[in-house]
Amino acid sequence: MPTPSDTSAAPTDLVELLHRRGQRATPQRLVILRELRRRGRHATADEIRGTVRDELPGTSTPTIYAALELLVDLGLVRRIDAGAGATLYDARTEPHQHTVCRRCGRVDDLDGAVDTAALEQASARAGFNTRAVEVIVSGLCADCAAAVAAA
Amino acid sequence: MPTPSDTSAAPTDLVELLHRRGQRATPQRLVILRELRRRGRHATADEIRGTVRDELPGTSTPTIYAALELLVDLGLVRRIDAGAGATLYDARTEPHQHTVCRRCGRVDDLDGAVDTAALEQASARAGFNTRAVEVIVSGLCADCAAAVAAA
DNA sequence: ATTGGTGCAAATCCTTTGCAATAGC
DNA sequence: GCTATTGCAAAGGATTTGCACCAAT
């Protein structure tokens, strides 16, 4: 069993991570992360702002964005660029991919397996320091495919 | 040898593709595609607009965007969402991936191999109609990694 | 002659900035 | 008390819209 001082593994405790970097555990940051985790699904900054304000009225938009960026930096949250200004934040940590519908913009989780080892090797050869590999499957969702076929 | 009417293979001729859909082959569209192909590298809408205007002065921003969207739709150009409002267009048709530096935003080509068959199967099971699989490797480019280490 | 495309200007959207006030540590 | 963070308001930048004119078929 790990000793109490064994904190070498990547922690998921926001307060601890912040204090390690000399940063502050503000209620805004805690609530934003809790909200992302509660959802268990990717969400836009705007959606997060909506629910965070229920609990913490007055939370400003810049604060939301700053907190999300910080959480991404800390590795607690993934940023997903679903194209055309559709930026999503996701606290789901298991590796997974996303489908993005080109017609309606809908984004869904996809639990597939992608071998990224070769990619990371290739990028390392170019001196690139890989932090994450993002896979976006774009096309038409079931609803839009049906709508296009009917037209 | 193929007969003159054998046009079943995916053509790369813009004029033909447009006429098939009852659309017009305007000089703007032709020049924009030619410019993307000449570069052989991903470019922003703004960069394209710059060079297209050398040849076709007065070409408007909305026209650039409309043409790029059309070319993506026709399958002649790939759209790459490199995050945070960095949208790129790429006429390079061979499958390849991209590295995006989180610090400076630099985007480079990466010629790796990614097995997308399993992904496409998984998405098809969900009724999703895959058109393209985009792989973005994010992290720090060599220059930024050195700069961060020095700091 | 049709009607799809273009150019212009302005609007819209998301995100970031500057700065004084506030609240963690 | 020191200074990181917040909130406010406003700026910023990329992309899209509405509409009249033009040009490819």
Side-chain angles (χ1 to χ4, degrees), chain A residues 89-136:
Chain A
Y89 298 87
D90 193 337
R92 197 183 153 200
T93 50
E94 315 98 76
H96 65 284
Q97 302 80 40
H98 296 91
T99 55
V100 180
C101 179
R102 284 188 183 177
R103 191 162 170 272
C104 69
R106 174 176 175 162
V107 178
D108 280 305
D109 279 9
L110 188 61
D111 291 287
V114 175
D115 181 25
T116 62
L119 270 187
E120 290 179 43
Q121 271 181 23
S123 52
R125 227 172 288 129
F128 193 87
N129 202 321
T130 299
R131 288 266 196 89
V133 178
E134 197 64 51
V135 178
I136 298 285

Side-chain angles (χ1 to χ4, degrees), chain B residues 24-87:
Chain B
R24 296 172 186 176
T26 66
Q28 289 86 346
R29 290 171 175 175
L30 298 175
V31 169
I32 288 167
L33 178 59
R34 187 189 325 135
E35 178 57 25
L36 273 165
R37 284 182 169 162
R38 189 187 64 73
R39 292 181 174 236
R41 199 177 183 281
H42 43 261
T44 64
D46 200 56
E47 288 166 347
I48 293 300
R49 189 183 55 189
T51 38
V52 166
R53 278 185 170 168
D54 289 344
E55 189 165 349
L56 245 47
T59 302
S60 71
T61 306
T63 296
I64 301 282
Y65 280 101
L68 288 171
E69 186 187 343
L70 176 64
L71 293 172
V72 170
D73 235 55
L74 290 170
L76 298 178
V77 168
R78 277 170 71 177
R79 192 200 318 265
I80 301 146
D81 290 298
T87 307

